[in-house]
Amino acid sequence: MNKTTWNGVIEGFYGRPWTAEERTELFSWMTDCGSMNTYMYAPKDDLLHRGRWRELYAPAEAKALQELIALTHSKGMRFIYSIAPGLDMAYASDADRAALNTKIDQVVSIGCSEFAILFDDIPETLLEADAKVFNSFAHAQGIVSNELLAHLQSQNPDSSLLFCPTTYCGRMATPTVAEDAYLNELGDLLDPAIGFIWTGPDVLSEEISVESIQELVSAIKRKPVIWDNLHANDYDNRRYFVGPYAGRPLALRNEVLGIMTNPNCQFELNYIPIVSLGMYLAAKDSWDERANYLELLPKFQARHG
């Protein structure tokens, strides 16, 4: 897989993060698939990832994160640390931009070189002070993200950065994806090396068509990375999604720079969703969702006695 391919799993849900033992098993599933190379760390209940993003990790927390990074790399996987400063970041503030660099530098110091900056689910208006400096929301986010990539690559030219926009699915675009002013401005402004995250036509997309991605590309001027919420259940933990990877044609793989699934909060429920995605990514000429499910179901049942 080349450097610009991100295929794998996002631990990006609201709820209890997975344990070290569960993550070890996750990497075993991913390795067995042979088509997955990326784990993204983005658990919303790590408050230092989002709500208290300016704060550095305490020594014990940093050590645990360092061990996770080392474990991921030992399995041949890419580790992406994501940070979500958009809830209260003042984009024009030198102090906030310095705090972002300092936080990222701490994670770099424990072995990470790949990052994601997330601006999903945040207020959509600029602070008065920001509006005096930036022309738009997209302008502010684009400049901050470009500066972060430059900061990372000044230390390690092989560093990478993914970007999650505030308009992160087709339903949020106005009036259409192709005509959305925010997406088009980001497409022009963001460094071409920055990967662009997208969830599809909706937050939880039942289907993602080639045509919908081609429309997006016309706005953002690059192939996106899919953050797939097909099996996510953090919005209602009474519902579980244990079916195969479905509703995405094989041709979709040629239109994107990667597909990562953000699955059920409950780790053990994710065997079929994750392994099925791995098999979809590795499939040659056809993809039969039903046949794939029937193939994996006995293995899932055996795991649970």
Side-chain angles (χ1 to χ4, degrees), residues 43-188:
K44 300 301 189 293
D45 278 20
D46 176 353
L47 297 181
L48 301 191
H49 148 80
R50 187 174 175 89
R52 291 158 42 199
W53 63 271
R54 297 176 185 82
E55 299 179 29
L56 298 180
Y57 287 98
E61 297 169 324
K63 181 180 179 182
L65 188 57
Q66 183 177 30
E67 290 172 349
L68 176 58
I69 294 169
L71 174 63
T72 309
H73 290 163
S74 73
K75 301 299 183 181
M77 300 286 170
R78 303 169 69 170
F79 180 97
I80 298 176
Y81 177 86
S82 62
I83 189 164
L87 285 175
D88 63 356
M89 183 178 191
Y91 300 97
S93 165
D94 290 339
D96 267 5
R97 285 150 85 169
L100 178 61
N101 286 344
T102 299
K103 177 65 166 288
I104 292 300
D105 287 347
Q106 183 191 31
V107 185
V108 168
S109 73
I110 58 175
C112 185
S113 63
E114 303 197 66
F115 293 86
I117 186 165
L118 313 181
F119 291 109
D120 56 312
D121 303 332
I122 62 171
E124 296 186 27
T125 55
L126 288 172
L127 298 173
E128 183 177 347
D130 289 337
K132 295 177 180 179
V133 176
F134 300 109
N135 300 326
S136 66
F137 208 42
H139 186 207
Q141 293 178 354
I143 293 297
V144 166
S145 299
N146 286 346
E147 287 183 355
L148 179 57
L149 178 64
H151 177 75
L152 286 167
Q153 293 190 335
S154 70
Q155 304 172 72
N156 179 354
D158 291 329
S159 295
S160 67
L161 182 65
L162 295 175
F163 172 92
C164 181
T166 306
T167 299
Y168 57 84
C169 71
R171 180 174 58 83
M172 297 176 178
T174 304
T176 67
V177 169
E179 300 172 290
D180 186 89
Y182 169 83
L183 293 174
N184 276 276
E185 186 172 0
L186 284 170
D188 292 332

Side-chain angles (χ1 to χ4, degrees), residues 104-305:
I104 292 300
D105 287 347
Q106 183 191 31
V107 185
V108 168
S109 73
I110 58 175
C112 185
S113 63
E114 303 197 66
F115 293 86
I117 186 165
L118 313 181
F119 291 109
D120 56 312
D121 303 332
I122 62 171
E124 296 186 27
T125 55
L126 288 172
L127 298 173
E128 183 177 347
D130 289 337
K132 295 177 180 179
V133 176
F134 300 109
N135 300 326
S136 66
F137 208 42
H139 186 207
Q141 293 178 354
I143 293 297
V144 166
S145 299
N146 286 346
E147 287 183 355
L148 179 57
L149 178 64
H151 177 75
L152 286 167
Q153 293 190 335
S154 70
Q155 304 172 72
N156 179 354
D158 291 329
S159 295
S160 67
L161 182 65
L162 295 175
F163 172 92
C164 181
T166 306
T167 299
Y168 57 84
C169 71
R171 180 174 58 83
M172 297 176 178
T174 304
T176 67
V177 169
E179 300 172 290
D180 186 89
Y182 169 83
L183 293 174
N184 276 276
E185 186 172 0
L186 284 170
D188 292 332
L189 178 59
L190 277 180
D191 188 303
I194 295 177
F196 200 99
I197 291 172
W198 189 250
T199 66
D202 216 322
V203 179
L204 290 90
S205 298
E206 184 175 346
E207 296 181 348
I208 302 178
S209 69
V210 166
E211 292 76 18
S212 72
I213 298 303
Q214 291 173 340
E215 181 186 16
L216 173 67
V217 170
S218 72
I220 66 172
K221 285 76 173 178
R222 70 202 74 201
K223 293 181 177 182
V225 177
I226 300 299
W227 173 311
D228 206 325
N229 289 318
L230 179 65
H231 295 97
N233 75 333
D234 56 356
Y235 59 92
D236 184 354
N237 270 207
R238 296 168 298 178
R239 304 176 68 186
Y240 309 120
F241 303 99
V242 296
Y245 196 67
R248 287 92 171 113
L250 285 184
L252 179 68
R253 300 176 303 179
N254 298 324
E255 308 298 325
V256 301
L257 290 182
I259 300 174
M260 293 187 283
T261 181
N262 176 41
N264 296 278
C265 301
Q266 297 79 6
F267 175 76
E268 281 294 332
L269 298 178
N270 290 317
Y271 177 78
I272 291 177
I274 290 172
V275 175
S276 179
L277 171 59
M279 296 173 74
Y280 163 89
L281 292 167
K284 299 298 183 182
D285 302 315
S286 62
W287 180 245
D288 187 325
E289 302 157 0
R290 179 65 178 170
N292 179 252
Y293 177 69
L294 294 176
E295 177 183 350
L296 292 177
L297 183 58
K299 299 177 182 179
F300 175 71
Q301 292 171 327
R303 296 174 55 83
H304 295 277

